[in-house]
Amino acid sequence: MHPRFTTAFSALPASLQAAIQPLLDSADFKGVLRPQDVAFLKQETGLDDDALALALLPIAACCAVATVSNFNVGAISRGVSGHWYFGANMEFEHTPLQQTVHAEQSAITHAWLNGEEKLDAITVNYTPCGHCRQFMNELNSGTAIRISLPGRAVSTLGDYLPDAFGPADLNITERLLTPINHGFPLEGEALQQAAIDAANQSHAPYSHSFSGVALRSQSGKIFSGRYAENAAFNPSLPPLQAALIMMNMSNEALNTVQQAVLVECENSTLRQQDATQSTLAALGCEDFSLTLVSKTSV
Ligand SMILES: [Zn+2]
């Protein structure tokens, strides 16, 4: 078991401890529960879906990298495929707070990058902030996504975000988590191809400034991240943050990024380059390269 889980694990109810220990002990554990894992945990604990997700929140919150706030938030998103995805907040010292990732963004992006195409519910240990409510309003589940919090009745995003502003107000029909491929040809070595593949699947219906990032860590593994744009702009999640979410959920330390590639569109309205490069530098990674892809190739 990764050391970051041990304290929270020891505080879990005995039946949940016994049931989840083999998963946490597995070197393959990346904060994802498969449908059969969820079924097994429910059977062993007697908990229903909502109660089990609430009981697992302390484990998800162990993944927080809250070096600024020391406020650990955990979230678990539940996909229509039956998979559950852990998420946690991430903060980056020596960067602006705008670079921060919220737990809900982490759990949702974690699901998206694992190929989940729609979410049923999200469980979080504190009430979602306004930023996250707006971020969730970009999802293809719309305001129907269920939100579960400790000590509260389960409700929907519609209850938390009445009179919502969203993609439809800008006549945008694309939604976050609906698969898309912008068709940029995959070229170059593996890291660059991973970044192009991420840009291909990025959600940028407002600016069309598609972008993706791929990181190679000290372990040699590659983590990629897609840009997730938002109708209200500010809650958008940059592609670097998406890749760092995947790295964090794989239990790899964020200061072990060795090499990074950013892919952006030539002549696009927005640019991720400066923010990406400076956040990477704050994490100790200076091996950064930019690949521009052309819209004419789409
Ligand atoms: Zn939030």
Side-chain angles (χ1 to χ4, degrees), residues 270-292:
L270 306 179
R271 277 276 176 250
Q272 303 289 342
Q273 181 182 0
D274 289 350
T276 304
Q277 202 165 355
S278 66
T279 300
L280 281 165
L283 292 169
C285 172
E286 302 287 350
D287 187 348
F288 169 84
S289 63
L290 171 68
T291 297
L292 292 176

Side-chain angles (χ1 to χ4, degrees), residues 38-56:
V38 173
F40 177 72
L41 294 175
K42 285 164 66 179
Q43 175 196 310
E44 294 298 305
T45 59
L47 299 172
D48 65 14
D49 284 315
D50 289 323
L52 176 61
L54 285 168
L56 289 170

Side-chain angles (χ1 to χ4, degrees), residues 26 33 42 90 185 199 215 218 239 296:
S26 161
L33 301 180
K42 285 164 66 179
M90 293 196 301
L215 309 173
Q218 226 162 47
T296 57

